[in-house]
Structures are given as C-alpha cells and as structure tokens.
Amino acid sequence: MRIICPHCGARDRREFTYQGDAVALERPAPDAGGAAWDDYLHNRENPAGVTRDLWYHEQGCGAWLVVTRNTVTHAVLTTDLAATVREGLA
Amino acid sequence: MADLTAKTPCAGLLPLSIGTLTLTEVDPGHMTAVAPLKGQTSALSEALKTAHGMALPAPNRATGKDGARTIWFGHAHSLLIGPAPDPSLAQYAALTDQSDAWAVVRLEGPGAADVLARLTPLDLRAPQFKRGHTARTDLMHMMASITRTGPQAFQIMVFRSMAHTLVHDLKTAIEAVTARAG
C-alpha cells in the first residue's frame, strides 16, 4: 500500500502512522450538546468501502494527512494536508 | 567547573573507506530550524537571500552549497546549515537552534545510490533524485534527511543519538555493494 503525501509524493506505508477517523478535525462547539460530543468522541462507522482517516507521515515530512481510501480494495483515493482540510472547515 | 571536551556525533567511528566508497563525517557548523510564520514564506525567502545568499527551498529541494545550505526539512520548515542565523530572519520565522542535535555524514563514490537502495524505500538514483534534491524518509527505521550534494555524493542526517546505528548500517551496506562489485 502506498500513500501519496502532498509534500513527498508516493511513499511506502511503512513511513506512516495511522491515527483514526478524520472526524477528529471536526470538534463540536463546547455547548453542542451530549449527542454531538458522544458522536465526536465515541461513535465510529466501520465501513466496508470508502473511509476518511488521519495518518501521520512520521518517517517523512511530519505532516498530518487526511487519507481517503477504500478498505475493500485498499485503493488510496485522495490525500490532503490535515491543515488545509481544517482551514476549509473554519 | 569540569573541563569538558566537545565530541562530534561520529567521533571515533569515521572516516571510513571501503572499495571506491567513502563515508566521512561533516562538521555542519550551526544548524537552525527555520519555520516560516503564517503568510511570511515569501518575505522569509527574501530575507534569507539578503542575509545568506540563498532562497528558501521548495519541498524536497535544497538551496545553497557546501558551507551554507538550506534544506527542506519537512512540513512547514527548513534547516539552515552552516552560518549562524541572521537576526533579520526572526521577524518572519520561528528559529530553533539544532546545532549538535544531528549526526551529519557524507557518502561518496560510485555506487553511493546502490548503498542507499539497501537502506531506504526511495529511488535515489540520479534520474529521479538530482543534485539539489532532498528527502525526509526512513533509513533502516531511522527518521533521516537525505540530500544529493554531487553526482555521486549524498549528505545523510539522523538524530545524533543514532550515529552509531547509522554508521553501522551504512558500513554494512557499503561492504555488501563493494563485494558484489567484485
């Protein structure tokens, strides 16, 4: 499996560390209520198909990435810098 | 006060010469991490040109030459190697002294790229990785910075604490490549 780092290009999976669902970038407001916080902290989909996760390019440039990939085919569809994605949400 | 003697990271380990390949320690001088402040990348590049005669490198690139070089060092930062950073840089970037924190070696000779092919997952042969190209990558599980400094020469950096391992792994790979060359 290879991940295309926006800085470094296609790199072997061994350079990356997996963190978890990219929902971590969408922190609810402090007063968003129990349900929103429950979803943010605990509730995760486990799709057979396309998923969006945070990966850390630890053995490379040190950037956090949002990687969209297919868990069935192992295809890596898109990668973006988490910083860019976060700015888009703001 | 104790009388302490400064030692370089690879003191007692290098230089090394096997076959046609040489591995030497580089005395880098000052090393400073330069992280541009938000929106100040172009201004920083201009200040770097004025103060040290080289632009801020694009990702995967290095600028300058032996003695005064800036290498891209990862997401949103570069490493100024050689001169002490000019105070004018501080208004555009966060500067962090990294001197003595990295082991810096130079691998040179025919087959240098073949040696690195045994240690890293990247294609560092000349058509792919030209002079002035740099990469952050994995070198036998160590976080390394590799820069091509000549047609058959690379500068390789790892954390100072890993200097022994770096020299050991490079030596083993050099011996293997040399043996195969017969």
Side-chain angles (χ1 to χ4, degrees):
Chain A
M1 181 170 141
R2 288 190 173 201
I3 293 174
I4 299 161
C5 171
H7 290 313
C8 307
R11 292 293 181 96
D12 195 274
R13 190 201 62 83
R14 83 185 89 156
E15 291 192 6
F16 297 86
T17 306
Y18 176 78
Q19 201 271 340
D21 196 310
V23 73
L25 296 174
E26 297 161 36
R27 187 184 174 88
D31 56 358
W37 275 95
D38 186 35
D39 278 348
Y40 174 69
L41 288 173
H42 302 298
N43 298 330
R44 296 289 180 266
E45 300 293 332
N46 184 21
V50 175
T51 179
R52 262 173 99 245
D53 301 311
L54 282 174
W55 291 75
Y56 179 48
H57 195 186
E58 186 175 27
Q59 295 285 74
C61 65
W64 279 96
L65 309 178
V66 176
V67 177
T68 309
R69 68 191 173 96
N70 190 313
T71 56
V72 176
T73 64
H74 301 302
V76 173
L77 305 171
T78 59
T79 43
D80 299 292
L81 291 174
T84 312
V85 173
R86 189 74 187 83
E87 273 170 20
L89 292 170
Chain B
M1 179 146 170
D3 189 16
L4 303 175
T5 309
K7 289 173 88 175
T8 61
C10 300
L13 302 172
L14 296 178
L16 210 64
S17 180
I18 300 170
T20 53
L21 286 152
T22 58
L23 186 64
T24 47
E25 178 162 31
V26 176
D27 178 5
H30 285 269
M31 285 190 276
T32 311
V34 180
L37 303 178
K38 219 166 198 174
Q40 298 294 326
T41 306
S42 317
L44 173 64
S45 189
E46 288 305 316
L48 198 62
K49 271 186 217 166
T50 308
H52 299 294
M54 57 196 152
L56 194 68
N60 306 307
R61 294 291 182 272
T63 55
K65 53 185 190 302
D66 282 347
R69 183 174 269 132
T70 306
I71 61 176
W72 177 81
F73 216 52
H75 178 63
H77 75 293
S78 295
L79 192 73
L80 173 64
I81 305 175
D86 191 83
S88 67
L89 303 180
Q91 57 182 309
Y92 307 114
L95 305 176
T96 314
D97 188 7
Q98 300 276 326
S99 307
D100 298 322
W102 292 81
V104 187
V105 303
R106 179 183 169 91
L107 173 66
E108 188 164 18
D114 300 331
V115 171
L116 289 172
R118 290 172 178 253
L119 306 173
T120 85
L122 282 192
D123 183 359
L124 298 176
R125 291 172 298 176
Q128 284 291 327
F129 196 74
K130 301 181 173 72
R131 192 189 198 125
H133 286 205
T134 189
R136 291 301 307 266
T137 188
D138 175 290
L139 189 140
M140 290 295 265
H141 309 294
M142 292 178 282
M143 294 172 180
S145 159
I146 302 174
T147 308
R148 184 184 280 276
T149 53
Q152 295 180 324
F154 295 91
Q155 174 176 286
I156 304 159
M157 301 175 61
V158 300
F159 293 138
R160 181 188 181 120
S161 59
M162 301 172 183
H164 256 93
T165 312
L166 176 71
V167 171
H168 171 80
D169 289 340
L170 281 167
K171 181 169 181 267
T172 309
I174 292 170
E175 285 169 348
V177 167
T178 304
R180 277 191 68 88

